Amino acid sequence: MNVLLGVIFHFIGGFASGSFYIPYKKVKGWHWESYWIVGGLFSWLIVPPIAAYLTIPGFGDIISGAAGSALAITFMFGVLWGIGGLTYGLGVRYLGVSLGSSIILGLCMVFGAIIPAIYYDFNPVAGKDTFSAMVGSNWGLTIIAGLLVCVIGIIISGKAGMMKEKELKTAGTDPHGAETSTEYKFGLGMFVAIVSGVLSACFNFGLEAGQEMATVANEAWKAANPGEGEFLYRNNVIYVVLLWGGLSTNFIWCMILNARNKTFGDYTNKKTPLLKNYLFSALAGTTWFLQFFFYGMGESKLGNGPSSWILHMAFIILVANMWGLVLREWKGVSKKTITTITVGIIIIILSVLLVGRGNSLHI
């Protein structure tokens, strides 16, 4: 039952992540940097402490009582993750939307799942699975197989995207919806994509770095609720610190763009539907945060960092592709292209089943 609940929670989180950008499409008359940072203030500054306040008594005391080094490392990983997200657009620019996205998401999944497990081989922590334990067990090999299958699904989905771009010759967009002009430069593009993929995986590294705070919250809850398992919301205290780092990166960049593009006036421009713009941006930002709210719930049920990260990424990719089909973004392409993206989606679903099976074997 715990495995099933964990998968369900990760699906809800993946659905939130794959859907959060839709409210931004309702924003009128604002430039990308303006609505992105308004939404970001909700994603990274406003909603996380509210969620922590509602779910973790004394979360502020837990943060203030944590080691300074743990807080600094968690914050720094948030900064690096923010840079990874912002460099995503460059990867798309030099490799194209589908190839760039596929490489970055694949690297983010692999590094985010495997590096922490390798780290725990050298620095063992109770309750954390090591990479050696994974490769030496049936459950671990099943999860790794799920990871590899998901990467194959990403590659095939990326191939379908490349076919679509060639057939429709549409302008590319980065994951934030900003238009990008493709200047195909494979060497430079691969370098940027690798940097983005590794840095984007730093979100999971930050979660691992902040586990000291989650452990305190978890133990306090278990003491107050004996025999009721692990605390569903223990990661919420980590997000407060980790997302401050992401806010720092994104805020600086958006302010630079506001200054460069002379778009500070967006925030008070009465010629635009200001109230709706703020509300839709707030909705988008809140929906974005919900992905990790449910990620923490899923991880508490699965008790396995690598498989949780794989499931999280797989569901994001799956939901994003399915939204593309629902919104008829594939209208006008050939039957071969539709077949290719369908195969990619089916393979990603198979990877989810494999990871779920691996967790059910992990006793």
Side-chain angles (χ1 to χ4, degrees):
M1 179 57 71
N2 277 346
V3 171
L4 178 60
L5 284 174
V7 172
I8 291 173
F9 287 143
H10 280 305
F11 172 77
I12 296 173
F15 184 85
S17 180
S19 308
F20 87 94
Y21 202 85
I22 292 177
Y24 280 137
K25 294 181 179 295
K26 298 292 185 179
V27 175
K28 306 297 182 182
W30 280 9
H31 295 77
W32 173 83
E33 58 270 21
S34 301
Y35 62 73
W36 182 253
I37 196 57
V38 171
L41 289 173
F42 283 84
S43 300
W44 310 312
L45 181 65
I46 297 172
V47 178
I50 292 176
Y53 173 79
L54 294 175
T55 56
I56 303 177
F59 80 94
D61 294 333
I62 295 175
I63 294 175
S64 62
S69 58
L71 294 175
I73 293 173
T74 303
F75 177 84
M76 185 53 61
F77 276 133
V79 171
L80 294 175
W81 160 74
I83 296 173
L86 291 174
T87 54
Y88 200 131
L90 284 177
V92 168
R93 178 176 182 176
Y94 294 128
L95 292 178
V97 176
S98 298
L99 180 58
S101 297
S102 299
I103 291 172
I104 293 169
L105 289 173
L107 287 171
C108 183
M109 177 181 292
V110 172
F111 279 100
I114 299 301
I115 295 299
I118 294 175
Y119 171 82
Y120 289 124
D121 267 315
F122 298 96
N123 299 276
V125 175
K128 290 296 180 180
D129 295 309
T130 63
F131 186 70
S132 59
M134 293 178 68
V135 297
S137 61
N138 287 333
W139 66 264
L141 290 175
T142 304
I143 289 172
I144 292 173
L147 170 62
L148 296 176
V149 169
C150 193
V151 171
I152 292 172
I154 293 173
I155 292 172
I156 293 175
S157 298
K159 174 63 177 177
M162 294 171 68
M163 294 165 66
K164 172 191 170 187
E165 289 171 22
K166 185 176 181 179
E167 291 172 10
L168 301 183
K169 297 181 180 179
T170 55
T173 58
D174 73 9
H176 305 142
E179 288 194 2
T180 60
S181 57
T182 301
E183 301 172 18
Y184 190 76
K185 298 179 181 179
F186 183 78
L188 179 59
M190 283 297 296
F191 172 76
V192 173
I194 290 171
V195 170
S196 180
V198 174
L199 293 184
S200 294
C202 284
F203 196 99
N204 198 32
F205 303 164
L207 287 177
E208 299 297 336
Q211 280 302 307
E212 170 190 327
M213 293 179 283
T215 299
V216 173
N218 191 43
E219 293 304 318
W221 186 86
K222 290 169 69 175
N225 302 272
E228 295 190 23
E230 302 297 316
F231 186 29
L232 277 177
Y233 309 112
R234 62 192 185 194
N235 278 0
N236 285 353
V237 67
I238 304 176
Y239 298 145
V240 175
V241 179
L242 180 58
L243 292 175
W244 280 342
L247 172 64
S248 301
T249 307
N250 282 268
F251 184 81
I252 291 172
W253 179 239
C254 286
M255 292 302 100
I256 290 174
L257 290 181
N258 274 147
R260 179 189 299 172
N261 300 329
K262 297 181 173 59
T263 54
F264 280 112
D266 286 349
Y267 306 113
T268 56
N269 186 355
K270 293 183 179 180
K271 294 182 180 179
T272 64
L274 284 176
L275 180 59
K276 288 185 177 180
N277 284 356
Y278 279 108
L279 287 176
F280 281 121
S281 296
L283 177 60
T286 301
T287 303
W288 183 95
F289 172 76
L290 289 177
Q291 67 169 306
F292 288 114
F293 182 86
F294 286 101
Y295 175 91
M297 295 171 66
E299 189 180 33
S300 73
K301 289 297 182 183
L302 296 180
N304 185 294
S307 59
S308 285
W309 188 251
I310 296 167
L311 284 173
H312 179 68
M313 295 297 296
F315 280 130
I316 291 174
I317 298 162
L318 182 64
V319 171
N321 277 316
M322 287 187 168
W323 269 120
L325 293 174
V326 170
L327 297 175
R328 301 177 65 84
E329 291 179 355
W330 296 83
K331 181 181 178 181
V333 301
S334 67
K335 184 177 180 180
K336 181 179 179 181
T337 300
I338 291 293
T339 300
T340 303
I341 187 60
T342 302
V343 169
I345 290 174
I346 291 172
I347 291 176
I348 291 172
I349 292 174
L350 176 61
S351 76
V352 170
L353 296 176
L354 278 172
V355 173
R357 174 60 178 166
N359 275 283
S360 69
L361 295 173
H362 187 204
I363 302 175

